[in-house]
Amino acid sequence: MATSLSTPKLSTTLSSPTFHSLYKTKLSNFSLSKPLQYNCVINPRSRASSLCYGRRFAITRAETSFTNGAEPPRQYDFDLFTIGAGSGGVRASRFASNFGASVAVCELPFSTISSDSTGGVGGTCVLRGCVPKKLLVYASKYSHEFEESCGFGWNYEAEPKHDWNTLIANKNAELQRLMGIYKNILKNADVTLIEGRGKVVDPHTVDVDGKLYSAKNILISVGGRPFIPNIPGSEYAIDSDAALDLPTKPNKIAIVGGGYIALEFAGIFNGLTSEVHVFIRQKKVLRGFDEEIRDFVGEQMSLRGIEFHTEESPQAIVKSADGSLSLKTNRGTVEGFSHIMFATGRRPNTKNLGLDTVGVKMARNGAIEVDEYSRTSVPSIWAVGDVTDRINLTPVALMEGGALAKTIFAGEPTKPDYRNVPCAVFSQPPIGIVGLTEEQAINEYGDIDVYTANFRPLKATISGLPDRVFMKLIVCAKSSKVLGLHMCGEDAPEIVQGFAVAVKAGLTKADFDATVGIHPTAAEEFVTMRTPTRKVRSSPSEGKAEHDTKAATGV
């Protein structure tokens, strides 16, 4: 016997704004003609069975006759089978198990570089994304800090030297430690971990390297993979996976791309004293970010020695007899690179998962189309994280995974909330943002007040370096609500995380003004801006702006 929870008919549009223009939120283009049924199989061997009759579900007993095409009850190996043990998959699986479901997760064997046969528990963020990247950012910042220290009286008898092999070895040791933590999280939550490649056979069956597992619900959380354009000589290029695990530090590197991944690696290698050239198709970096932030970070990175080649598209890579690489673009050829890295975006990792054969609808780029509850066009199959190409950020995948577990197993149909999602770019200097850009605010609200500050931080007054900080508030002129908050400068991500709570809560400029600042800090500038830099008065465009998912990661 099965019991079910009915939810209201789901709409095919989000009721809240998304992460404006950095990434678009894509919903499915299919329509739902019936209310969704979130089913819980009553299986005496399933830990979820007792929960179905508990206070978590407001349910009624299902009818014993199966008419109108309803399938008869059956027993499954698991209530939820998750393919992919990244951030979203682990969160959904752990929460589902805590709600009483029997859960299994499959994941590929570990490798620092992902492939069709390798992955690892923890996923992109932990193993070849956020965490190892941030460790390399820390390593690269010391060269700038050595420069800063001279003005404060520090002297060095010899020039500090960096050992790349030590950094990579320690980074990889930390990845192993974190992967062990993730495995223990699953174990402690009574989630079964299966090593191997999962493939969907039918709406309730997963094949893992030849062994079949049945499940009432299947979750796809396999993330994305870096993409390198198919140009002559592309086999000589590296992507972000490889860049995090190179055997030697680049002497001279070309980075193709103008999104956040490109800027972060440009800062890393520049800080580690490599010669860095960045090639972008556009006139500015970070398409989709606030225009003043784009201008400011480009200027600051140039002052630190990074050379930008704007409005240049890669056409070919040529390898010389001495092993050096040349990059040919529409404007000419630059020679002498030890490495050429492409940071030209990521694509959903849905190849060879069997989704097309069972009827799961996907976009042209391979992204799985889902509704507002992360359900695919096949009722028993769900998807969260980068594989859905909504907002491709780890904390968002965590939110989606938690919401999905509540929807299916806790009797609480929950939509992920994409309003005012903060994000950071760990460039040097770093960026933190939450809310609308100035351009988006004008388009959606018309009349706005803009407050900006561009100043030399206290540390730079003695270090003598040309470091500056830029901060910006965007305020609705009619309601005084703070619509957007942007910062580029030291500690920007840490500062903006705190202010994101205020923006999410809908606080006004008066609330900011009434807050006492902490002195001396850069952060206090956000609560001491009194006079608008400019006032914009215009009529908002009809409807809300559509936002480009790929803006932050494209070339």
Side-chain angles (χ1 to χ4, degrees):
M1 181 185 300
T3 59
S4 64
L5 169 70
S6 296
T7 67
K9 184 176 180 180
L10 303 182
S11 65
T12 57
T13 59
L14 282 177
S15 60
S16 58
T18 62
F19 185 52
H20 304 276
S21 193
L22 301 185
Y23 313 84
K24 69 188 174 194
T25 298
K26 293 185 1 182
L27 295 177
S28 58
N29 57 11
F30 54 85
S31 61
L32 301 172
S33 58
K34 297 180 180 179
L36 294 183
Q37 300 290 321
Y38 296 102
N39 297 320
C40 180
V41 174
I42 303 304
N43 179 344
R45 296 181 298 176
S46 168
R47 296 189 298 112
S49 301
S50 60
L51 181 61
C52 291
Y53 291 107
R55 58 189 176 87
R56 292 190 182 277
F57 278 101
I59 57 174
T60 58
R61 186 176 300 274
E63 296 183 18
T64 55
S65 60
F66 295 89
T67 58
N68 298 324
E71 63 180 44
R74 57 176 284 193
Q75 293 184 346
Y76 299 94
D77 297 324
F78 299 99
D79 298 313
L80 176 68
F81 195 104
T82 300
I83 302 178
S87 299
V90 169
R91 174 62 62 89
S93 299
R94 180 166 65 90
F95 278 27
S97 183
N98 290 339
F99 291 139
S102 59
V103 184
V105 179
C106 73
E107 179 55 73
L108 293 167
F110 168 74
S111 175
T112 53
I113 300 176
S114 63
S115 69
D116 290 339
S117 59
T118 58
V121 176
T124 298
C125 176
V126 173
L127 303 178
R128 58 193 71 87
C130 320
V131 172
K133 169 203 69 184
K134 188 71 178 292
L135 293 175
L136 266 63
V137 168
Y138 284 137
S140 65
K141 288 174 65 176
Y142 283 104
S143 61
H144 191 71
E145 290 168 357
F146 290 145
E147 284 190 80
E148 289 178 318
S149 69
C150 295
F152 291 88
W154 287 94
N155 293 300
Y156 304 94
E157 294 182 0
E159 187 75 18
K161 294 183 179 179
H162 182 263
D163 186 80
W164 175 263
N165 292 331
T166 298
L167 170 61
I168 297 303
N170 289 339
K171 180 266 295 184
N172 287 339
E174 175 62 9
L175 299 190
Q176 290 288 347
R177 187 186 74 85
L178 292 173
M179 186 168 60
I181 290 175
Y182 266 72
K183 288 182 177 180
N184 283 333
I185 287 173
L186 293 172
K187 180 180 179 181
N188 293 337
D190 293 328
V191 175
T192 300
L193 177 60
I194 302 168
E195 186 171 89
R197 180 175 181 82
K199 183 177 181 179
V200 178
V201 177
D202 64 42
H204 295 284
T205 307
V206 176
D207 180 322
V208 183
D209 295 340
K211 186 172 181 178
L212 300 180
Y213 300 88
S214 63
K216 181 63 179 176
N217 298 279
I218 297 172
L219 172 61
I220 309 299
S221 55
V222 295
R225 295 267 298 277
F227 167 71
I228 296 179
N230 185 22
I231 62 172
S234 60
E235 65 272 19
Y236 301 123
I238 62 172
D239 58 23
S240 57
D241 281 10
L244 288 167
D245 204 47
L246 292 172
T248 58
K249 183 184 72 175
N251 178 46
K252 179 180 178 181
I253 185 170
I255 299 177
V256 180
Y260 71 91
I261 295 175
L263 294 201
E264 289 172 342
F265 277 95
I268 287 170
F269 290 122
N270 177 67
L272 294 174
T273 69
S274 301
E275 182 181 338
V276 179
H277 296 249
V278 178
F279 294 80
I280 60 175
R281 279 195 323 217
Q282 312 295 325
K283 292 182 178 180
K284 302 179 185 179
V285 297
L286 296 178
R287 179 167 56 91
F289 282 71
D290 187 89
E291 290 297 317
E292 287 185 293
I293 289 288
R294 298 176 71 188
D295 291 334
F296 185 84
V297 72
E299 293 169 1
Q300 287 291 301
M301 293 182 72
S302 294
L303 288 173
R304 296 193 184 194
I306 296 171
E307 185 172 344
F308 288 94
H309 303 255
T310 60
E311 298 182 281
E312 293 199 37
S313 299
Q315 295 182 344
I317 299 173
V318 179
K319 187 172 184 177
S320 303
D322 62 1
S324 66
L325 303 173
S326 299
L327 179 63
K328 181 182 179 182
T329 75
N330 57 308
R331 289 195 169 187
T333 300
V334 183
E335 302 176 340
F337 294 110
S338 60
H339 298 77
I340 296 177
M341 173 185 170
F342 275 78
T344 47
R346 299 173 63 85
R347 290 185 175 179
N349 190 25
T350 51
K351 184 179 179 181
N352 299 323
L353 283 181
L355 299 175
D356 51 345
T357 62
V358 297
V360 173
K361 291 185 178 181
M362 293 182 285
R364 292 181 62 183
N365 68 343
I368 298 175
E369 296 182 352
V370 293
D371 63 24
E372 293 173 290
Y373 294 87
S374 298
R375 197 172 201 172
T376 74
S377 55
V378 177
S380 60
I381 300 178
W382 312 72
V384 298
D386 290 7
V387 75
T388 63
D389 201 19
R390 288 178 282 184
I391 299 180
N392 298 334
L393 296 171
T394 296
V396 172
L398 294 173
M399 173 180 64
E400 292 170 353
L404 177 136
K406 289 181 180 180
T407 296
I408 305 176
F409 299 109
E412 301 175 20
T414 304
K415 301 176 186 179
D417 184 359
Y418 299 104
R419 294 172 299 171
N420 293 319
V421 173
C423 84
V425 181
F426 291 98
S427 50
Q428 297 180 49
I431 297 167
I433 66 171
V434 61
L436 301 179
T437 67
E438 180 176 344
E439 296 75 22
Q440 293 160 356
I442 293 171
N443 188 47
E444 296 192 24
Y445 290 87
D447 297 347
I448 63 169
D449 295 332
V450 179
Y451 299 78
T452 63
N454 186 330
F455 59 93
R456 192 181 190 189
L458 181 61
K459 183 188 283 188
T461 62
I462 289 183
S463 73
L465 298 181
D467 298 350
R468 297 190 69 83
V469 174
F470 178 77
M471 305 171 78
K472 183 172 186 176
L473 284 178
I474 301 161
V475 180
C476 177
K478 296 177 181 177
S479 68
S480 192
K481 180 180 178 180
V482 176
L483 305 174
L485 183 149
H486 306 258
M487 177 178 177
C488 182
E490 194 64 26
D491 296 325
E494 304 286 349
I495 293 170
V496 171
Q497 176 66 87
F499 278 103
V501 178
V503 176
K504 181 76 170 179
L507 298 190
T508 66
K509 183 62 169 61
D511 295 318
F512 275 62
D513 293 343
T515 303
V516 176
I518 299 174
H519 184 74
T521 64
E524 67 180 311
E525 196 71 23
F526 277 129
V527 298
T528 57
M529 296 180 183
R530 295 290 185 263
T531 305
T533 303
R534 57 187 168 274
K535 296 183 178 182
V536 180
R537 301 293 181 262
S538 63
S539 299
S541 300
E542 291 185 6
K544 296 199 172 184
E546 294 186 3
H547 311 306
D548 185 1
T549 313
K550 295 307 169 193
T553 55
V555 180

